[in-house]
Structure formats: structure tokens, C-alpha cells
Amino acid sequence: MAKATFIHHFRTPRIAYEGPRSRNPLAFRHYNPAEVIEGRTLKEHMRFSIAYWHSFRGTGADPFGPGTIIRPWEQGKDPVSVAKVRMDAAFEFFQKIEAPFWCFHDRDIAPEGRTLTESNKILDQIVAHAKQHQKATGVKLLWGTANLFSNPRYMCGAATNPDAHVFAYAAAQVKKALEVTQELGGENYVFWGGREGYETLLNTNLKREQEHLAAFMHLALDYAKRIGFKGQFLIEPKPKEPTKHQYDFDVASGIAFLRTFGLEKHFKFNIETNHATLAGHSFQHEIEVAAAQGMLGSIDANSGDPLLGWDTDQFNTDVKELTLAMVSILRAGGLGTGGFNFDAKLRRPSIDPEDLFHAHIGGMDAYALAFKLARRIRADGKLEQFVADRYASFDAGYGRDIETGKATFQSLEKLVLTKLGEPAPRSGKQEYLENLLNTYLHG
Ligand code: XLS
Ligand code: NI
Ligand code: NI
């Protein structure tokens, strides 16, 4: 282990901040990790995280062909030794890219054994290795999760599988995933639906499947409590893919699910940009829906392609989209124990280790710039003031009575008949606001 930290797996040096004028493609232009804003460094504000599954397990394979991305450390016959060297490379990358956090699924970091006992043993070895790396580098775990979708046993779902045997297996796997997330000091634990959904209603009892999913969540909560796991539980909604209908469709349906089954106090949402757009929403919409209920947890930072209808998991460099999202996040008071996790992957022909740097530099810079622009927008106050003014009639008088539950249909009818008459129309001023936004983005 001590040796491994000195072997350099990447030729690219640590990425430095050079400022907006820099044209060095391997430097940060907006993300200055050491910059202090309101008593906290930008590194602490942004809480960037690297997704192990994409950046260290992604090979570029797609349904039309095998992987194209071959890393030099992916060599050797013993998968456990390879997993350790891969992890050495990963922690080197985390440090060089100035990411304070990482995220993983159990099966990304450790190969699955022939039995659950064997899988757990292997996982323990790799987790011990990760723990040493975390200690040596100061990189922390944003969240852990379990892969309940790759193994063929989960082809019809995990917690929503029609076979109780599979439910039991998934429970055992999540029990272990919670233990290792706790062992590594994970600040959150994520439930993304995997294959929790259906392909056809012809073979599906939707009601029972949703009840089983809720039962699973309750069991996970009970166990977390039992072992003293303090991390925040997060649901990551996605409307489709891999199944044609995923039960955690979007934030709104997630809230309904949590409320229906008495889980709402224990969960927040991990919102992924590409999942929002697949559901026919904007990224900002999903943030607003979660924030309105005090359930904004964390972000899976990526983007889809507007011309493609699946989860392309691209790095997001769209400053306008991110600035709008950041305005909503800042208004909600930030992400708390959450962060911005780059759940994004290189395109299939981007095969150089250096491409991993370009990808993350672009994403980090875009988010950091968006953060700064959003702060400026909020400090300037014009946008917020416009919205506040638009609702001002609810701040006093009968408007206030409506909000506080004092008004009745009769009292409102009387007001209209005797005093108010016809309401005066007022412009929504969308075009003015779009222009105003551009003055911040390009001003
Ligand atoms: C897949 C999801 C997945 C989760 C973690 O679409 O985004 O990567 O973030 O299970
Ligand atoms: Ni995700
Ligand atoms: Ni995704």
C-alpha cells in the first residue's frame, strides 16, 4: 500500500487553478479549490465527487460493440489484486483533480464472488484498502450504494422482484453495503431504482411491488438505526431505463411514494440532470420540487443529449442550465451533506487517461462558474425581488388570510362582490427576465 501511493498511474500532473484567462486545457479556470468565499473554501462549497463506476469501471462498451477504453492498470489474473491497483489509480486521480469526495456501488470496487459469503469477504478486503487511501489522502466518501441491477438474478428487480428469494438476497446485499458505507464514513446512502419497475403490466402486480419496495426501505432504515449509521438516505429518481417504467419516476412521484408509506422524514432526493430531462422536466424543476418539501439532498451532476432519449451521462458544460439550477440550490440553503457527484462518463472514443481530466475539469469549471454567477444573481436581488413582488398580494390583507387559512369561499365571494370586482391583468414579463438572466451570463 505504501508503495502503491508512489507509483503514478496517470502522467497528467495535479490540476492547478490558473484563472479565467488561462488557455491551458489542463488547468482550472473557475474552480479555485483554495478560494475562500464566506469563510469556506470553494472546495468545501462545491463538494465535488467522482463516480467510481463511470470513471474507473467504464470501458466504453455499448450494445453495438465492446469496450474501447483500456487502462494500463487493468492487468493481472487475480481480480482482487487488480481491484486494489485500480483503486490506487482512482485515489491518485481524486487528488490530482482536487475532488474531496468519491462515490461507489459495492460491485464497482470489488468483484463478486461465487457466493454471498465470498463476495462479502472480497468486499471487506477492498474496503480496508479504500479506508487506508481515504486516511492517506483526506478524500471522503459522499455516498455508498449497492448494485442491485447488473447480476442476472435481479433481471426482474430486487426489492420489487416477484420472487421473495430475490428480495431476501437484495436485503442481504444492502445490509452489507450499509455496513461498508458506514465503515468508510459515508455521509449519505443512495437508493437508485435499478430495475425496480416493470417491462409489462401483463405479468406485474404493481400494488404489491410498490408495497415491497416500501417494506425494503423500512428494513433498510431499521438496520441503519440498529448499527448507528448517521448518513442521509437518498432516493435517486429516474423515469425509465433500464425498465420501461421505473417506480421512482421523478421527484414528485418519489414524494408521493415516501408519504404514502410513512418514509418521508427519513429520505431526501439525489437529483440527476439526465434523469430529470428523461422524465420530461428540467433539472431546475426537479430541484425546486424537492426543495419545496425540504427534501433536496444531493446532485448527480451530468447531462443528457437533447437529441437522444436515453441516459447518456455526459459531463455538463452548459453554464446557463447550471446557473439556473444553482440559483435554486442556493435559495434552498445548499445541499447539506450532499454534493455534486459526477455521475458522467467519457464518450466511447475518448480513450486517453487524459480525457478523464478534460471531462472533470470541464464539469467542475462549469459548476464553479455557475455557483459564482448564481451568487451574483442572488446578491443583485433583481430576479428574487421580481418574484417576491409578483406574489405580494398574498403578504397582507385577504391574500394573507388565504395563506393562513382564515379565508372562506363566502368571505372571498363577499369581497369580490362588494369591493374587488374584476382583477387587473399584470404581465408575467418572461422576455424581460430572460434578457435579465443574459446580462449576468454574458454581461
Ligand atoms: C443510473 C444511476 C446510477 C446511480 C447509482 O442511471 O444514475 O448511476 O446514480 O446507482
Ligand atoms: Ni446517478
Ligand atoms: Ni443515470
Side-chain angles (χ1 to χ4, degrees):
M1 160 74 200
K3 243 190 190 165
T5 45
F6 292 104
I7 297 172
H8 282 244
H9 296 279
F10 289 96
R11 260 181 287 158
T12 311
R14 196 178 184 120
I15 304 302
Y17 169 74
E18 292 186 4
R21 281 161 199 273
S22 169
R23 293 296 172 263
N24 174 2
L26 287 169
F28 293 121
R29 300 194 303 128
H30 303 286
Y31 177 48
N32 178 3
E35 181 180 349
V36 178
I37 299 174
E38 278 181 30
R40 276 155 77 205
T41 64
L42 199 50
K43 196 169 188 169
E44 289 162 342
H45 277 289
M46 302 310 299
R47 294 171 66 85
F48 287 133
S49 164
I50 309 300
Y52 204 88
W53 54 102
H54 284 311
S55 290
F56 290 91
R57 301 315 307 274
T59 62
D62 72 10
F64 302 93
T68 51
I69 298 169
I70 302 156
R71 299 297 184 219
W73 53 81
E74 297 288 331
Q75 273 172 33
K77 283 209 185 73
D78 170 32
V80 179
S81 314
V82 176
K84 286 186 183 162
V85 181
R86 178 189 299 132
M87 185 163 278
D88 300 339
F91 273 85
E92 183 189 327
F93 179 73
F94 303 160
Q95 279 186 289
K96 285 184 164 174
I97 201 72
E98 299 278 1
F101 291 100
W102 68 303
C103 292
F104 67 86
H105 300 84
D106 48 1
R107 303 298 179 243
D108 313 328
I109 54 170
E112 198 161 356
R114 278 163 305 175
T115 62
L116 186 61
T117 311
E118 209 179 284
S119 299
N120 287 350
K121 268 202 194 131
I122 298 171
L123 186 55
D124 282 335
Q125 284 184 56
I126 303 294
V127 165
H129 195 65
K131 203 171 174 183
Q132 282 179 296
H133 271 300
Q134 287 193 167
K135 213 172 151 211
T137 60
V139 174
K140 295 189 284 182
L141 181 62
L142 187 65
W143 48 262
T145 190
N147 179 328
L148 302 177
F149 44 90
S150 294
N151 191 295
R153 83 172 71 86
Y154 296 124
M155 66 182 177
C156 299
T160 63
N161 198 290
D163 185 351
H165 188 157
V166 180
F167 182 107
Y169 201 105
Q173 195 182 324
V174 170
K175 174 179 176 287
K176 182 69 181 173
L178 281 167
E179 290 163 10
V180 304
T181 300
Q182 182 183 35
E183 171 74 11
L184 292 173
E187 300 193 17
N188 306 270
Y189 186 89
V190 164
F191 293 88
W192 165 59
R195 294 182 195 272
E196 313 294 21
Y198 61 79
E199 299 296 345
T200 171
L201 287 171
L202 287 172
N203 65 14
T204 303
N205 186 326
L206 181 144
K207 183 171 189 287
R208 281 183 96 171
E209 291 203 358
Q210 289 190 331
E211 285 166 0
H212 296 168
L213 186 58
F216 196 90
M217 298 303 188
H218 276 290
L219 294 178
L221 277 172
D222 290 347
Y223 191 66
K225 202 168 162 200
R226 191 188 174 91
I227 62 174
F229 175 66
K230 297 273 178 305
Q232 173 67 51
F233 272 21
L234 300 170
I235 283 190
E236 181 180 324
K238 184 174 183 179
K240 53 192 159 198
E241 200 204 21
T243 71
K244 96 164 175 182
H245 178 91
Q246 302 272 123
Y247 291 129
D248 301 323
F249 195 90
D250 58 3
V251 174
S253 57
I255 292 169
F257 169 80
L258 293 171
R259 290 246 160 93
T260 304
F261 295 103
L263 290 157
E264 71 276 12
K265 287 202 179 67
H266 309 282
F267 282 83
K268 288 185 177 176
F269 289 93
N270 182 36
I271 296 172
E272 181 164 321
T273 320
N274 203 170
H275 297 182
T277 48
L278 279 176
H281 302 308
S282 68
F283 181 31
Q284 192 186 14
H285 167 92
E286 289 292 79
I287 292 166
E288 286 282 331
V289 177
Q293 305 298 320
M295 291 170 119
L296 177 60
S298 199
I299 300 292
D300 264 6
N302 67 11
S303 151
D305 183 302
L307 301 183
L308 299 175
W310 65 90
D311 200 11
T312 58
D313 287 334
Q314 291 172 232
F315 285 82
N316 199 332
T317 53
D318 182 340
V319 176
K320 183 173 172 184
E321 180 182 40
L322 298 183
T323 300
L324 290 169
M326 276 293 183
V327 167
S328 294
I329 292 169
L330 292 179
R331 193 191 297 130
L335 295 175
T337 63
F340 295 98
N341 171 48
F342 289 103
D343 191 356
K345 63 182 179 225
L346 295 173
R347 297 307 88 192
R348 193 164 185 263
S350 300
I351 57 173
D352 296 343
E354 197 187 74
D355 292 322
L356 215 46
F357 286 90
H358 290 301
H360 286 87
I361 288 169
M364 289 171 155
D365 263 349
Y367 263 94
L369 177 57
F371 174 71
K372 292 177 185 179
L373 290 169
R375 281 177 54 84
R376 212 175 295 159
I377 290 172
R378 282 174 51 76
D380 194 36
K382 278 200 194 106
L383 204 65
E384 313 272 326
Q385 193 56 50
F386 183 90
V387 179
D389 289 347
R390 197 157 179 247
Y391 294 86
S393 60
F394 284 95
D395 293 342
Y398 64 91
R400 196 196 185 90
D401 290 346
I402 293 171
E403 284 201 347
T404 54
K406 282 191 198 130
T408 63
F409 267 12
Q410 302 93 295
S411 70
L412 295 172
E413 182 197 45
K414 195 172 163 203
L415 260 178
V416 174
L417 292 177
T418 59
K419 254 172 85 182
L420 299 176
E422 189 63 28
R426 219 172 132 187
S427 171
K429 294 225 173 298
Q430 180 170 335
E431 298 77 4
Y432 155 73
L433 293 167
E434 284 165 350
N435 297 350
L436 176 65
L437 178 65
N438 264 355
T439 65
Y440 301 108
L441 296 178
H442 308 288

